[in-house]
């Protein structure tokens, strides 16, 4: 079992910054990669950023490149998403997810992730 709990969401003005955290517990040794996804009302859940748990390689959606940064602290069993230059279109519920399968590259698809957090709301005002 792997448990994920997101925190750090809130309301920010356009151009502002916010840092999301994902606390990971359980069988963390089985995790290959961690990802952040987001879902706006009436839309599909989409990939935002991912990071390998051990190697630290990262990947980003084109929409957030240069603005968001994913990182992890294995000692603290925590994954972060640092968001800068936020835009109203970034408004969504953000989910942390764990992929337990070994892969040559980070997965950007929801069905490849085995565990999910409850989500945290990010609202960016104009």
């Amino acid at each position: 079992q792997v448990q994920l709990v997101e925190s750090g969401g809130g309301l920010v003005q356009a151009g502002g910054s916010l840092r999301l955290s994902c606390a990971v517990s359980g069988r963390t040794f089985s995790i290959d990669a961690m990802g952040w996804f987001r879902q706006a009302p009436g839309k599909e859940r989409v990939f935002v950023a991912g990071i390998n748990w051990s190697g630290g390689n990262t990947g980003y959606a084109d929409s957030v490149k240069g603005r968001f940064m994913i990182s992890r602290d294995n000692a603290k069993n925590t994954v972060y998403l640092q968001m800068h230059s936020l835009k109203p279109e970034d408004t969504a519920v953000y989910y942390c997810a764990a992929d337990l399968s070994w892969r040559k590259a980070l997965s950007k698809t929801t069905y490849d992730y085995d565990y999910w957090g409850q989500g945290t709301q990010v609202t960016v005002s104009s």
Side-chain angles (χ1 to χ4, degrees):
Q1 282 277 15
V2 174
Q3 295 82 40
L4 309 173
V5 180
E6 303 97 330
S7 62
L11 191 153
V12 297
Q13 294 181 339
S17 300
L18 199 64
R19 188 180 75 163
L20 306 183
S21 298
C22 175
V24 186
S25 61
R27 297 188 290 179
T28 58
F29 60 86
S30 65
I31 297 174
D32 180 70
M34 298 291 298
W36 285 98
F37 292 75
R38 67 187 182 188
Q39 186 170 23
K43 297 183 179 180
E44 294 293 306
R45 190 172 301 184
V46 297
F47 175 83
V48 175
I51 186 168
N52 285 116
W53 190 247
S54 297
N57 293 329
T58 59
Y60 298 90
D62 289 341
S63 59
V64 305
K65 286 181 179 177
R67 299 190 298 121
F68 291 10
M69 184 180 76
I70 187 171
S71 62
R72 87 271 192 262
D73 187 333
N74 296 75
K76 296 181 179 180
N77 290 325
T78 303
V79 180
Y80 304 94
L81 184 67
Q82 182 67 56
M83 305 182 292
H84 296 292
S85 302
L86 284 163
K87 306 174 181 179
E89 49 263 47
D90 294 319
T91 296
V93 176
Y94 284 70
Y95 297 91
C96 181
D99 181 6
L100 273 57
S101 297
W102 184 90
R103 307 178 193 278
K104 293 190 291 185
L106 289 165
S107 174
K108 299 181 179 181
T109 58
T110 58
Y111 54 79
D112 281 333
Y113 288 80
D114 304 284
Y115 295 94
W116 296 82
Q118 82 287 350
T120 185
Q121 177 71 48
V122 172
T123 303
V124 184
S125 63
S126 59

